[in-house]
Amino acid sequence: MILPGGRRGTLLLALATATCLMSTACGADEGAGGDDNVAVALITKNSTNPFFVTMQDGARKAAEAEGVKLTVAAGKEDGDEAGQVQAIEDAIARGDEGILITPNGPGVNPAIKKARDAGLYVIALDTPPDPANTVDITFATDNFKAGELIGQWTAKQLAGKPASIALLDLFADKIVSVDYNRDQGFLKGMGIDTKDPKVNGDEAKTGSYAAGTYSIVCNEPTSGAEDGGRTAMERCLAKNPAINVVYTINEPAAVGARKAIQAAGTKDVLVVSIDGGCAGVQQVKDGLINATSQQYPVKMAELGVQAIKKIARGGEKPQTTGGLDFFDTGVSLVTDQPASGVDSIDSAAGASTCWGKA
């Protein structure tokens, strides 16, 4: 990784040992070179989840193509707000023109405000902050729609059978929009009434879904990780070994959940998720995940890099999608078990577009 030159490069080098969150945060990927390049910071939730690794790679390629100087940083893990705050402070100190961030929670909001007050244009990727106007704009999947698609598909697949549902969410100790939008979207897609759309777990634990009756066995946090998914699923199965529907916040959590299901010897369980990564699409093909909503992190990163360069050069600011408070980068349901009335693509098509690689 090349350390940045010119634009406050000396300051960054002096701070590197103390403030580096991870190896990629210790340097910058330079575009065409030179001090007059537009400088952008990409700050992801972590640098281990394949989704964010793919986003980082997409941003690097876009920066190279656009002649933008890119610095990549990340929290140590999902939920690491302090690490992201430090990365924001570093971007301000470098004099970057803009920040792309997948916020780890509301704890980063004051630092984002400080960056905007300092003149940086801040774009959220993947995860809209709460409130949405914390940033200048968000480029993201419609996470509610992504949840709704897998909920609709699940209801169709059950065909009137009673649903015993495990909800494997992101956090239990903080509120993040991607968490409640996916969970509540799934429930709406199932035809289950929700109460506060920004609160997970406040819906009735028993009742009727679109085609039959349901019971919600558990709402468990996973931190969006495989081991978290497995532990959460083990707790749910201890409450009710007859669970037949598992909603998961993302594909790493889904893989962990499926491993717990397999270890318990439980059969005929529908596992649905959101991500649509290349590995996740393969897991759909292999039957580990039954359906997943595919999102496009490479597109988010590309649009973000291009937008900040355009604004820095005096161009127009991007606009939100009509009827939404963010720019919708699209979503597709991927499954090899199509359901009548629910639009989807199969795993072969999903593999050709996974995370926007096409």
Side-chain angles (χ1 to χ4, degrees), residues 153 157 281-287 289-292 333-339 344-350:
W153 179 89
Q157 291 295 323
V281 172
Q282 182 63 44
Q283 287 149 7
V284 169
K285 183 177 180 180
D286 294 341
I289 299 173
N290 300 100
T292 189
L333 181 69
V334 181
T335 182
D336 287 333
Q337 302 165 267
S344 65
I345 59 175
D346 63 19
S347 60

Side-chain angles (χ1 to χ4, degrees), residues 23-350:
S23 60
T24 53
C26 294
D29 300 292
E30 296 193 10
D35 291 346
D36 61 346
N37 277 19
V38 172
V40 176
L42 171 66
I43 306 168
T44 55
K45 292 182 180 181
N46 61 57
S47 198
T48 54
N49 186 320
F51 181 88
F52 299 118
V53 173
T54 300
M55 180 179 285
Q56 291 170 358
D57 290 343
R60 289 188 179 99
K61 291 177 182 177
E64 183 177 0
E66 296 290 334
V68 166
K69 185 179 292 183
L70 180 73
T71 301
V72 178
K76 294 176 183 177
E77 60 188 2
D78 239 321
D80 177 16
E81 294 168 314
Q84 289 196 322
V85 168
Q86 182 61 63
I88 293 168
E89 295 281 359
D90 292 345
I92 297 169
R94 284 192 304 271
D96 289 354
E97 278 80 13
I99 293 172
L100 307 174
I101 184 168
T102 59
N104 261 328
V108 304
N109 288 4
I112 291 174
K113 181 180 185 302
K114 182 177 178 181
R116 293 179 70 190
D117 289 345
L120 282 73
Y121 194 85
V122 181
I123 299 175
L125 305 180
D126 174 61
T127 304
D130 192 2
N133 64 4
T134 301
V135 295
D136 289 287
I137 194 169
T138 298
F139 294 151
T141 305
D142 186 336
N143 283 295
F144 191 90
K145 181 178 179 181
E148 195 172 18
L149 282 170
I150 55 175
Q152 292 169 345
W153 179 89
T154 300
K156 291 282 188 177
Q157 291 295 323
L158 287 169
K161 296 177 186 175
S164 295
I165 304 169
L167 298 170
L168 304 193
D169 296 313
L170 189 56
F171 298 125
D173 60 346
K174 64 184 68 180
I175 298 172
V176 181
S177 63
V178 68
D179 198 5
Y180 61 71
N181 278 325
R182 292 180 181 187
D183 175 293
Q184 300 289 283
F186 169 78
L187 292 174
K188 182 183 178 185
M190 282 281 293
I192 296 172
D193 288 335
T194 59
K195 294 181 180 179
D196 187 333
K198 293 187 176 183
V199 176
N200 288 345
D202 68 343
E203 61 280 340
K205 300 307 176 189
T206 60
S208 298
Y209 74 95
T213 59
Y214 78 87
S215 64
I216 295 176
V217 176
C218 57
N219 280 83
E220 291 286 345
T222 66
S223 296
E226 182 178 327
D227 57 349
R230 180 163 188 161
T231 299
M233 193 67 223
E234 288 170 348
R235 288 195 292 263
C236 293
L237 287 169
K239 295 177 182 179
N240 183 348
I243 289 169
N244 61 350
V245 173
V246 181
Y247 154 84
T248 60
I249 182 68
N250 64 8
E251 287 161 2
V255 171
R258 181 63 79 180
K259 288 182 177 180
I261 292 165
Q262 291 172 333
T266 306
K267 305 293 184 182
D268 300 323
V269 181
L270 296 176
V271 176
V272 295
S273 196
I274 297 171
D275 263 351
C278 299
V281 172
Q282 182 63 44
Q283 287 149 7
V284 169
K285 183 177 180 180
D286 294 341
L288 298 176
I289 299 173
N290 300 100
T292 189
S293 286
Q294 185 172 79
Q295 49 184 346
Y296 305 105
V298 170
K299 182 177 181 180
M300 298 174 200
E302 290 173 346
L303 289 172
V305 169
Q306 292 164 0
I308 291 176
K309 178 184 177 182
K310 184 176 182 179
I311 293 163
R313 297 298 189 225
E316 294 183 0
K317 297 178 180 179
Q319 302 296 313
T320 58
T321 300
L324 300 173
D325 57 9
F326 60 93
F327 181 89
D328 184 3
T329 54
V331 63
S332 300
L333 181 69
V334 181
T335 182
D336 287 333
Q337 302 165 267
S340 175
V342 184
D343 289 339
S344 65
I345 59 175
D346 63 19
S347 60

